[in-house]
């Protein structure tokens, strides 16, 4: 069965709650499609207004982060059941900005991925190399390690429903998109890695996105690749152009 595309916006630290309502009202008619799952991952405080504003549309709301404990003395963190209680279906885990600025490691990513599955939230698990790693020729080694650790203890049935976002760090917010060939090559390598950890059926089912300066010009070629099942979109997800990315065909 063909995999359904999944196109997600990563709003990062942008949009107040009132701006959220405005943006969703603008984007709602533009992102209407049955061909892809459309997810807006928004800041925690915007989740509830986003859910309300997107009611009755095809937009699903996701979180940008989540903690791996159930509750307790973790000032500033968001618990998984706070997300499920309001209807959040997706959570971005291990974005490179969280790894770089908030000391997330492969191990904390793994804990969060396990916790998300425990609560029935679909993790969008991020991986990606630095420019130095690419130049040193260790891209795939590095990403395979990120993926293998992220999925430790995850069952094949769970992994089939997961989303992986391949985001080369050098392409995020820089306007430098990876070439279609580079993106396809790594996404294909990630699928092979999943086949090694689990089996072919799991590798065929899991959805792998490309992220890093995706825009309405680059999306069509990227999303047409056999191993690229959609995108994780930062900057361009905050503009009406996101509608063109979602309806890339
Ligand atoms: P960008 O961000 O599209 O602005 O490069 C992508 C991301 O970080 O998810």
């Amino acid at each position: 069965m063909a995999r359904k595309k999944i196109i997600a916006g990563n709003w990062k630290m942008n949009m107040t709650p009132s701006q959220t309502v405005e943006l969703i009202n603008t984007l709602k008619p533009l992102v209407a499609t049955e061909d892809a799952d459309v997810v807006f991952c928004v800041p925690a405080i915007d989740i509830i207004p986003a859910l309300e504003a997107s009611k009755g549309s095809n937009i699903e709301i996701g979180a940008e982060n989540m903690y791996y404990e159930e509750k307790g003395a973790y000032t500033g963190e968001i618990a998984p059941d706070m997300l499920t209680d309001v209807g959040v279906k997706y959570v971005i885990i291990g974005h490179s900005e969280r790894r770089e600025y908030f000391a997330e490691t492969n191990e904390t990513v793994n804990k969060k991925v396990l916790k998300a599955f425990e609560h029935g939230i679909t993790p969008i698990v991020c991986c990606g190399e630095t420019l130095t790693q690419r130049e040193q020729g260790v891209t795939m080694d590095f990403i395979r390690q990120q993926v293998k650790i992220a999925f430790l203890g995850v069952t094949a049935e769970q992994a089939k429903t997961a989303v992986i976002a391949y985001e080369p760090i050098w392409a995020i917010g820089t306007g430098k998109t990876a070439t279609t060939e580079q993106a396809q090559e790594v996404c294909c390598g990630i699928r092979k890695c999943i086949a090694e950890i689990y089996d072919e059926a799991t590798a065929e089912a899991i959805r792998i996105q490309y992220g890093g300066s995706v825009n309405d010009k680059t999306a069509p070629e990227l999303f047409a690749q056999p191993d690229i099942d959609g995108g994780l979109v930062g900057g361009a997800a905050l503009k009406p152009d996101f509608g063109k990315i979602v309806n890339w065909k």
Side-chain angles (χ1 to χ4, degrees):
M1 212 182 79
R3 291 180 296 272
K4 191 173 188 188
K5 300 278 184 210
I6 175 162
I7 299 164
N10 173 12
W11 286 18
K12 309 195 179 187
M13 198 175 75
N14 294 295
M15 299 290 141
T16 63
S18 40
Q19 289 168 338
T20 294
V21 174
E22 238 175 87
L23 182 60
I24 291 190
N25 285 336
T26 306
L27 288 178
K28 221 172 0 185
L30 306 178
V31 300
T33 178
E34 289 184 356
D35 293 342
D37 290 332
V38 178
V39 185
F40 288 11
C41 297
V42 306
I45 198 165
D46 296 335
I47 287 174
I48 290 173
L51 282 162
E52 278 165 14
S54 61
K55 237 178 228 160
S57 78
N58 61 318
I59 301 168
E60 300 266 25
I61 300 302
E64 297 178 11
N65 181 33
M66 181 199 89
Y67 201 49
Y68 54 74
E69 295 290 352
E70 292 294 330
K71 63 175 179 174
Y74 304 102
T75 303
E77 292 295 325
I78 307 281
D81 70 0
M82 295 174 187
L83 298 178
T84 52
D85 186 71
V86 293
V88 168
K89 302 270 168 57
Y90 294 87
V91 60
I92 298 175
I93 306 275
H95 189 278
S96 61
E97 286 150 17
R98 295 218 50 92
R99 294 181 192 251
E100 185 180 349
Y101 306 130
F102 303 98
E104 294 208 8
T105 63
N106 286 338
E107 287 68 29
T108 59
V109 167
N110 176 236
K111 285 185 186 175
K112 291 181 177 193
V113 168
L114 290 170
K115 195 46 99 177
F117 279 122
E118 198 183 310
H119 286 265
I121 308 172
T122 301
I124 299 176
V125 186
C126 299
C127 59
E129 82 286 5
T130 62
L131 189 55
T132 310
Q133 288 163 336
R134 177 158 284 272
E135 286 167 355
Q136 290 170 337
V138 299
T139 295
M140 220 46 241
D141 297 318
F142 182 72
I143 288 172
R144 284 169 58 84
Q145 183 172 10
Q146 286 185 319
V147 169
K148 284 187 171 179
I149 298 175
F151 281 82
L152 280 177
V154 174
T155 67
E157 284 319 301
Q158 290 171 329
K160 279 180 185 158
T161 68
V163 179
I164 296 177
Y166 165 53
E167 299 203 307
I169 294 171
W170 49 272
I172 295 176
T174 56
K176 274 191 221 156
T177 320
T179 65
T180 306
E181 292 71 30
Q182 287 170 328
Q184 161 59 23
E185 188 186 14
V186 176
C187 289
C188 175
I190 293 170
R191 202 175 301 285
K192 284 196 184 128
C193 180
I194 293 293
E196 285 168 32
I197 304 171
Y198 301 101
D199 47 41
E200 286 299 328
T202 309
E204 277 306 307
I206 199 166
R207 293 189 288 180
I208 305 175
Q209 300 173 314
Y210 168 78
S213 299
V214 173
N215 60 41
D216 58 312
K217 307 286 181 303
T218 55
E221 205 179 292
L222 286 163
F223 296 175
Q225 298 307 303
D227 287 296
I228 302 181
D229 305 316
L232 183 57
V233 183
L238 301 170
K239 303 179 199 145
D241 278 356
F242 191 58
K244 294 188 199 150
I245 297 176
V246 166
N247 291 291
W248 59 281
K249 261 193 186 156

